[in-house]
Structure formats: structure tokens, C-alpha cells
Amino acid sequence: MRKKNFRKGMSLVLVASMSAAMLAGCGGQEEEGKKEAQGGKNDVPTYTIATVRWTDAWPTDFLESGVMKELEEKHGINIEWQIYYNSDWSEQKSLLLASGDLPDAFLGSISLNATDVAQNKSSFLELTDYINEETMPNLVSVFEKDPEMKAVATDRDGKIYSLPKKLPLRPKVCGNPLYINKEWLDNLGLDVPKTYKELETVLEKFITEDADKDGDPNNEIGFSNSASTALLSGDLRTILAPFGTMVSRDNNYMGLNGEGKPVFMPMEENYKEAVKWMHGLWEKGILDPEYFTQDSSMFTSKKQADGGSKVGLIHAWTADAEAGVNASQFVPLEALEGYDGNHYIENASNFLDISDRELLITKECKEPEKLLQWADDFYDDLTSMQTFYGSISDGCITDNGDGTYDVNEPKDGSSLDTSAWSNSLRDFGPKYMNPEFYDKIHIPENQGDGIKLKEDELNAKYVTTDKNVGFPMVQYTDDELAQLTTLGTDIYKYCEAQYAHWVVDGGIEEEWDSYLKQLKDMGVEELVKIQETAYEAYQENMK
């Protein structure tokens, strides 16, 4: 009864979402190809698939049209989508997993994390034997061409429980580079900084010489942030990066040193030097006084302030993503020369571009082969293009008839990013595009991915060594996951608290030894050993 009532509720949600977004498609035309009534489809296998969306502001009717509908028809199946939203998913997920009344599958790595899968592994179908030439020829071919795809999907026991993805048309500088307020530079007659020391000098001038020329030399902010558990991790990848502090986006503070060996970054000597430098920025007033206390809305209001940004330096995927209407004030910085003469820039492709858990099939599924045959088509070039930008038949992409394709700018005035999230699975779901297909796709250079790929030319030359490659997404045993949760919770909080303390109050040099001792007492060596073992297994799977 519970599942029946839930499906009815979700149908109402889906209908409401579809009604509100009738004109939100790429071409602006009324949606066609809505799902037919179930009558006459009793002989067609029906699968329930749960998926999670970041926000209910983006429509979901693309699930019932375009390439998604075409694949259902090709494989002779019917899909009932159970749609959740990220803001409520955590509680709903716990109730759903506890109930045992599961859908046939979960789509998108946003749906279930590694711990969810480990704690409920008996509920999921092992897929290893299904990945064969008969059922999933496309994925077999992908595994042969791209060993990292197989490595990320393979459990530590050598089994595969979920399907992976690799996002297409991605930059080499896969992360958030620094952007500097060029308008302020011009106002003060300053050059774009090339080293971290030059950056400090420029930021100090920003906050003391009325960089925005409004007559008040005290209302500019050099660099700001918002309070969150990810603050330290983000700083290590951006403002502190000139000290070689690159870490995983998994918020586990693991990095690879210059020799490519795993390290817990908050224990490294270069981390200590980076924090000392950051304290110097605080002492000079370069950092926002609300750096560690304001929420994200307050932070955004400063970057996107009416009349011009109040901030001199930001980090962002692209400037418009953070500065909004003030994006034109900012230009990307070339990777700064760091403390050791190297140029550091984030390359988190092994976190942002590649992942597992894009499709998990539960043991509720009665005919998994047919569903996996459907999923195998997601590893096709044309399909991956459409599940990333929107469907050809929905007007999101134009087929030029010569083997090339144009990604169309949305006619409703929204950004290409918003359009892609509104008309496709975008970052989620099984996906792989052969690199040789990339050149056949034309993306507007003035929007979203086009901007990012154009700006990539500035720093791509620095993405060459382990210094700039984040610690990858590795697989853990169930016991290791439990240990990491137990150990990591307190260790990470301690590191984050000490970081804030040292930036504001100083004292890292005097307190460093006692800090390291405290971390060892908390079990950090055991935590690092788990990460090292997992990394070794990951490298073995890459062979």
C-alpha cells in the first residue's frame, strides 16, 4: 500500500511540474510525446526508477519525451519515474531504505552515497556478470578503452554493483580557478598578479586605495567566504593552492604529494606555511571579517552587490556562476607561481567527471537484463550528448545532417546551464562519449560550458603532474567505510576548528607539535592507512 500511495503522490508532483514547465523546453514549443495512458501496455515491462533532482525549479518533463522516451520505445519498456528533490531527500531516503519497499532502480550518484550502498548491499543486484557483450556491449567497449571507468565502478571485492559515468566535453582545469576584479585593477593602474606574493600586494591595495572609486576606501573586501564544513577543503583547492595544498573534493582532506603519494594535507609542512600566510592576510584586513561566520546568502550578496561587486578576488567554475550580474568585472587568473616555483591549479576530473552509482538495480527488479540493455544505450555518443544537453527532438540540439551538432542557446533567455539541467539528466545517469566525437559538437562560446572551455586555454598547460590532480574517488570495504566515518567525523571537525583559530588568532608555529599529537591520538594514522590501502587497490584496478 505504501508504494502505491507514493506512486500516486509522485504522479501528481510530476504532472504539476510538467504543467508549470510546458514552455520551458529548449525550442519553446509545447511539449509533445507525453507518456500515454497505461491501458494497452500490460504486456510491456514496467520499471520504477527513483531519481533525485537538485531543485524543483527545474522541470522534469524531459523524462517523458525526447531521447528518454525514444529509448523506452526502442527497448519495449515503460518507466515510472519516482522524483525526489535534494532538499528533502536525506530524510526520505532513510525512510525508503528502512521500509524495504524499494524501486527497481536508483538513477544518479546524487541518490545514494557509498555508505548507503555498503549498509544496504543485500538489497542491490550485483551487476558483474551482466556486463557482457550480449547485454551491455557499449559498456564492455568503454571499459576496454577507459580503464578508469572500470576502476571507479569495481568494488574492493572485485564486484560491480553500479554503473559509472564520465562527463563529456570537460575542461582540463576541472575545478574552480581564481578570478580577479579587473575593473579594480584598472581603477588603480595595477597589473594582473603572477605570483602569490604579488596577489597579496594587489589585494592589500584593493582594500586601502578605494579600488571601486566610490569615495570610501574602507568598503572593499579582498577575499571572502561563507561558513560551512567545506570551507577549509575549498580554501586548500583555491586561495591556498600556491602552497601545493590540493585535496580531494570528497572533503576527506586527502591529497597527493609531489611524488604522487597519498597524504593527509592538514598534517603537511606546506599546509602549515599556507595557514601562516593566510593569517597574514587576516592581519592586514584582506580577508572579510565575516569570513568564518556569514552564511552563503550574505556571501553572495557581496559578490553580486548592486552597482558592482564588493569583493576583489573570487573562485568559481565560471565568473557568472558566482558574481552573477557583476561577472564582467572579473577575469580568470593564470595559475599563480607558488611558494616552490610551481603553478598549482585544480584538476578534479576524477571526482567531478567520473563516478560510480549512476544506476543501481535493486533485487525488486524482475527483468534486470532488459533494464540494463536500456542503460547500455546511455554509453552511446549521441545518447550521451542528449542526456547532457537535451534532446534533438525537443529542440535543444540541432542535427546539421553532416555528422555535426549545434547545442542551441535557450530561447527563453535562461543560461545554457539552466537549460541543460532543465532538459536532461545533465551530470547524472550512465554516460560516456568517445573523445573523437567532441569536435562534432558546437557549443556557444558565450555561455556555460563554452565559456569554461575557452578559459581552459589559460591554465591547461599546468595540468600535467600529480601536484594538481586531486586524490581520486576510491572504493572502500564495508569495514573501512565504517571506520572512516567513526574516525573522520571528529578529526575533520578538529582540523576545521584549528584552521579558523590559526587564521584569526595565529599561533600555528607554537601549537603545531601538540596539534599533530592530538591528531595521532584521535586515530589519524589509522585513517591515512585506510586511504593508502584504498588508493593502492584503485591503482591496481587501473591496470
Side-chain angles (χ1 to χ4, degrees):
M1 182 66 68
R2 182 186 308 219
K3 182 178 285 189
K4 180 179 180 181
N5 289 340
F6 170 74
R7 287 177 179 168
K8 180 178 180 182
M10 285 312 305
S11 296
L12 293 174
V13 171
L14 183 55
V15 169
S17 175
M18 290 164 59
S19 299
M22 286 288 283
L23 298 179
C26 297
Q29 72 268 33
E30 184 172 345
E31 286 294 324
E32 298 178 355
K34 295 281 193 277
K35 180 175 279 190
E36 300 175 6
Q38 294 302 304
K41 288 192 174 183
N42 293 334
D43 57 337
V44 176
T46 294
Y47 298 93
T48 58
I49 301 180
T51 192
V52 179
R53 302 282 285 166
W54 282 120
T55 172
D56 59 5
W58 297 331
T60 58
D61 40 323
F62 72 88
L63 291 168
E64 307 292 333
S65 68
V67 70
M68 301 300 289
K69 188 66 177 178
E70 292 159 13
L71 288 179
E72 286 187 46
E73 293 173 349
K74 173 183 175 180
H75 291 279
I77 65 174
N78 177 49
I79 294 175
E80 291 184 358
W81 294 97
Q82 296 182 351
I83 302 168
Y84 297 85
Y85 297 99
N86 193 55
S87 58
D88 302 317
W89 175 233
S90 180
E91 181 179 354
Q92 293 172 332
K93 175 176 65 174
S94 297
L95 293 172
L96 182 61
L97 292 174
S99 74
D101 192 11
L102 301 178
D104 293 310
F106 289 88
L107 186 142
S109 53
I110 188 177
S111 301
L112 300 175
N113 60 38
T115 302
D116 295 327
V117 177
Q119 293 177 346
N120 298 275
K121 190 166 285 186
S122 62
S123 298
F124 298 107
L125 193 66
E126 186 199 336
L127 305 180
T128 314
D129 292 340
Y130 291 98
I131 301 174
N132 55 56
E133 288 285 354
E134 182 177 348
T135 305
M136 304 197 76
N138 289 336
L139 184 55
V140 169
S141 176
V142 167
F143 280 174
E144 292 173 352
K145 290 180 288 190
D146 195 334
E148 192 167 13
M149 284 283 280
K150 185 174 183 180
V152 78
T154 303
D155 212 337
R156 288 284 292 283
D157 58 5
K159 299 176 181 179
I160 295 174
Y161 286 88
S162 69
L163 301 186
K165 65 112 185 280
K166 184 173 186 177
L167 299 181
L169 295 160
R170 299 290 278 181
K172 290 184 179 179
V173 181
C174 195
N176 290 12
L178 294 171
Y179 288 78
I180 197 160
N181 195 319
K182 184 65 162 57
E183 184 177 299
W184 289 8
L185 287 173
D186 293 343
N187 286 344
L188 299 179
L190 299 174
D191 294 328
V192 175
K194 298 294 185 183
T195 71
Y196 79 99
K197 291 182 178 179
E198 289 179 5
L199 175 65
E200 181 177 353
T201 300
V202 165
L203 294 178
E204 189 170 9
K205 289 181 180 294
F206 277 177
I207 66 166
T208 59
E209 298 183 9
D210 191 22
D212 63 3
K213 295 302 179 184
D214 68 348
D216 183 354
N218 300 311
N219 64 352
E220 290 87 356
I221 299 167
F223 187 67
S224 189
N225 216 325
S226 60
S228 74
T229 55
L231 184 149
L232 172 55
S233 181
D235 280 1
L236 291 169
R237 301 191 307 271
T238 55
I239 186 68
L240 300 180
F243 290 86
T245 57
M246 206 61 63
V247 292
S248 168
R249 281 188 168 233
D250 202 26
N251 294 329
N252 56 21
Y253 299 114
M254 292 301 299
L256 299 174
N257 65 16
E259 299 174 352
K261 295 181 180 179
V263 293
F264 186 70
M265 193 58 67
M267 296 181 70
E268 295 295 293
E269 283 294 318
N270 54 314
Y271 169 79
K272 181 173 69 173
E273 295 305 309
V275 177
K276 286 165 64 176
W277 179 71
M278 197 70 163
H279 174 60
L281 300 187
W282 180 273
E283 288 286 286
K284 290 182 177 181
I286 291 171
L287 299 184
D288 190 341
E290 298 178 304
Y291 197 93
F292 294 102
T293 58
Q294 67 187 346
D295 62 25
S296 59
S297 63
M298 294 172 64
F299 181 30
T300 298
S301 71
K302 295 173 181 178
K303 292 179 290 186
Q304 301 183 8
D306 292 340
S309 180
K310 295 298 182 184
V311 183
L313 184 74
I314 63 174
H315 61 85
W317 183 256
T318 54
D320 61 318
E322 295 294 328
V325 295
N326 297 324
S328 62
Q329 289 182 258
F330 293 89
V331 295
L333 271 182
E334 185 170 355
L336 298 167
E337 182 181 310
Y339 79 116
D340 57 358
N342 285 306
H343 296 259
Y344 293 94
I345 193 78
E346 185 180 20
N347 173 25
S349 60
N350 49 28
F351 178 91
L352 294 174
D353 295 356
I354 302 175
S355 68
D356 62 339
R357 292 171 287 106
E358 295 300 338
L359 186 73
L360 290 115
I361 297 180
T362 73
K363 291 183 178 178
E364 299 289 319
C365 186
K366 302 303 181 187
E367 295 183 71
E369 291 91 347
K370 287 189 71 68
L371 189 59
L372 286 168
Q373 288 168 351
W374 168 82
D376 192 56
D377 267 350
F378 282 62
Y379 296 106
D380 168 78
D381 291 337
L382 276 177
T383 302
S384 288
M385 177 181 69
Q386 294 177 87
T387 61
F388 197 55
Y389 287 112
S391 297
I392 295 172
S393 58
D394 283 344
C396 298
I397 298 171
T398 297
D399 182 346
N400 295 319
D402 60 357
T404 66
Y405 304 86
D406 293 339
V407 177
N408 298 320
E409 294 188 33
K411 294 184 178 180
D412 62 1
S414 64
S415 70
L416 185 59
D417 281 344
T418 299
S419 173
W421 279 107
S422 299
N423 294 284
S424 75
L425 295 170
R426 190 53 171 174
D427 287 5
F428 300 124
K431 199 176 274 85
Y432 185 86
M433 187 185 294
N434 288 291
E436 55 267 26
F437 192 76
Y438 293 176
D439 291 340
K440 299 179 180 180
I441 303 173
H442 306 143
I443 307 170
E445 287 191 357
N446 63 336
Q447 293 225 17
D449 292 351
I451 294 174
K452 185 68 174 179
L453 291 170
K454 182 66 176 176
E455 291 180 349
D456 197 46
E457 299 170 4
L458 180 65
N459 284 310
K461 58 182 174 289
Y462 298 120
V463 185
T464 56
T465 69
D466 285 333
K467 295 180 178 67
N468 291 325
V469 178
F471 188 82
M473 292 297 290
V474 297
Q475 295 281 1
Y476 306 101
T477 66
D478 296 352
D479 287 343
E480 286 173 344
L481 272 174
Q483 287 179 286
L484 287 175
T485 301
T486 301
L487 294 169
T489 301
D490 291 337
I491 289 173
Y492 302 153
K493 286 181 180 178
Y494 177 61
C495 291
E496 291 152 7
Q498 286 299 110
Y499 174 65
H501 159 56
W502 285 329
V503 169
V504 175
D505 304 319
I508 188 171
E509 191 70 60
E510 297 80 6
E511 299 172 10
W512 184 250
D513 289 342
S514 62
Y515 163 76
L516 294 181
K517 182 179 184 303
Q518 177 64 27
L519 284 174
K520 290 177 181 178
D521 290 344
M522 297 173 77
V524 72
E525 291 175 325
E526 185 179 354
L527 181 147
V528 172
K529 181 61 178 176
I530 292 171
Q531 297 286 10
E532 289 174 340
T533 301
Y535 183 66
E536 290 171 3
Y538 172 84
Q539 289 183 307
E540 279 297 314
N541 283 331
M542 287 283 287
K543 294 178 180 178

